[in-house]
Amino acid sequence: MAVSISRKRSKSSRKQEAKQCYFGLTILFNFLSRISVLVFLIILIYMWSSFSTLITGNIIHVCFSTRKFNSLYCVSAGTQPSFEIPTSTNNTSSIITPEMDQGNATTEPGKFPDIPYLVASKVDVNDRDKRVANAVKVVEEQLQLHRSWRSKSNKNYATCDGQGIYVYDLPSKFNKDMVGQCHDMVPWQNFCGYLSNEGLGEPIARLGKGWYKTHQYSLELIFHSRVLKHPCRVYDEKIAKLFYVPFYGGLDILRWHFKNVSNDVKDSLGLELVTWLERQGPWKRNSGKDHVFVLGKISWDFRRSRDSPWGTRLLELDKMQNPIKLLIERQPWHVNDIGIPHPTNFHPHTDNDIIAWQLKIIRSNRRNLVSFAGAARVDAEDKIRSTLIDQCTSLGNGKCHFLNCSCVKCDEAESIIELFVESEFCLQPTGDSPTRKSVFDSLISGCIPVLFDPFTAYYQYPWHLPHQHDKYSVFMDKKEVTQMNVNVVEKLANISSRERENMRRYIIYELLPGLVYGDYNAELDKFHDAFAITMNNLLQRVSRLEGPHNN
């Protein structure tokens, strides 16, 4: 459904949006009132059986619509991301869990505290500040290490020079069989359309060539199809230096997420995979250090805590500490977790596809100063979203456009991209976890992202985003915003047109090509896409490994 973008958003238009939401609820109520008690009970029983695993303790998190499923982390909400702070910068693998009040070492499911609250509230303030500073220093040191692995090659693909890539031919239960379960993977919809075209999904004709209905959790399929055609791929494991494990761990999580199964069942395939790998010669030679996994969900979903029902414990297994894990969101204090871009809906086939899109968005009439596509999180502790919505909608002068995802299907790429292409700045508050696919949607639309938490992007993507954050984004501390010390829209209005233009040109011409994944037959020459950048850096990294296999 297209969203019309008006030059001015009056109070009457905001009232009209509210009426539309209310009208929809009225229709739903009238419909339900006509259903017999027996039919209604049958529906309730079905819904209970389908979503029983989503109701745990004091947390009730049920997704009944495709809009919710496609908002960033609805399916992941409830993961327990207990930020763990290293005790020392001398050993980045040495990690402790901070003691929280009443000995609770994890944050509440779906809640991400600010860094100052990652440590115990009972400790001395000075000691707490030191530990927080140390934690941040560890993150920055790891990112600096990751950046040191960047390839210097000016070619789309680095010269192989004997650094062959071996792709394991895993038993189909570890990947293809899960794709075949797409029909009942999500109870309320057929998920197969999203997994078609090698994970790109179905084409979006309205947005033009190279645009697809790509789901944010499709990265495993997209990467697998590309690496099979990589020019450095070898079929003899003895001459390979990098080993790619095409395990669809994100789909493994997703297929059990809405079923009432035990944690043992959720963990079983990952444990079986590790057992299978331990029997392979390449794994034995280097203890998995030269192996890479691409996992299409956030790191927390693979780090299930205690007896929580959310996700698996794949990345907590001892045998999984050595390999490189590429994820759309990394665990900031695990050096072998590396963040790579969320897949967007744009998958160019040739250089000309990228150039055509660059020309289109650089010439776009950006009628909105600020836009925000999202919904309020009334149960969120920091209230950042509610504050931003209030600031955006209270102006009434057309400077800020709020696309209310409570009333509009924001999973439709057309709605989001059309809004972002017509906006100067795009607000990107955190959701159920720090990162957002929307950050990359805004960047590839030439809309300058406004961030409120450094973990949303700055501590995540060392290979694809530069260290100079102010070249492509604006940062505002969310405490200052939620305490009403800063009016976001007014502050953004004070940024000069020249500064905006410089940032936009940098985003469009320098960053954009490296943030998108070309299609499965991509023929890119001038540009390095997100896949090429990642693979080149992996080859650079593996060339520095020490071990019997790399001497």
Side-chain angles (χ1 to χ4, degrees), residues 116 157 177 203 283 344 465:
Y157 292 114
D177 288 355
W283 182 278
T344 65
L465 293 177

Side-chain angles (χ1 to χ4, degrees), residues 227-248:
V227 78
L228 289 174
K229 301 174 183 178
H230 196 284
C232 296
R233 184 187 176 190
V234 297
Y235 296 86
D236 183 354
E237 64 183 43
K238 294 180 181 178
I239 62 174
K241 289 296 181 71
L242 181 67
F243 296 84
Y244 182 85
V245 185
F247 173 51
Y248 297 172

Side-chain angles (χ1 to χ4, degrees), residues 381-417:
E381 291 183 1
D382 56 29
K383 305 296 182 185
I384 180 66
R385 287 180 171 230
S386 298
T387 303
L388 292 176
I389 292 171
D390 288 343
Q391 291 188 4
C392 182
T393 57
S394 63
L395 292 176
N397 55 9
K399 286 187 176 181
C400 188
H401 186 104
F402 171 49
L403 183 63
N404 189 348
C405 291
S406 296
C407 300
V408 179
K409 296 181 69 174
C410 289
D411 59 299
E412 294 181 348
E414 302 97 311
S415 303
I416 301 298
I417 298 302

Side-chain angles (χ1 to χ4, degrees), residues 181-199:
Q181 299 172 23
C182 58
H183 294 281
D184 63 352
M185 191 168 284
V186 180
W188 56 81
Q189 71 174 156
N190 187 337
F191 202 62
C192 298
Y194 291 112
L195 303 184
S196 62
N197 284 326
E198 308 288 349

Side-chain angles (χ1 to χ4, degrees), residues 19 44 57 71 113 125 184 222 235 337 347 357 381 460 510:
K19 288 181 180 179
L44 285 178
S71 66
V125 173
D184 63 352
I222 294 171
Y235 296 86
D337 273 20
H347 304 281
W357 180 248
E381 291 183 1
Q460 289 290 341
E510 299 295 330

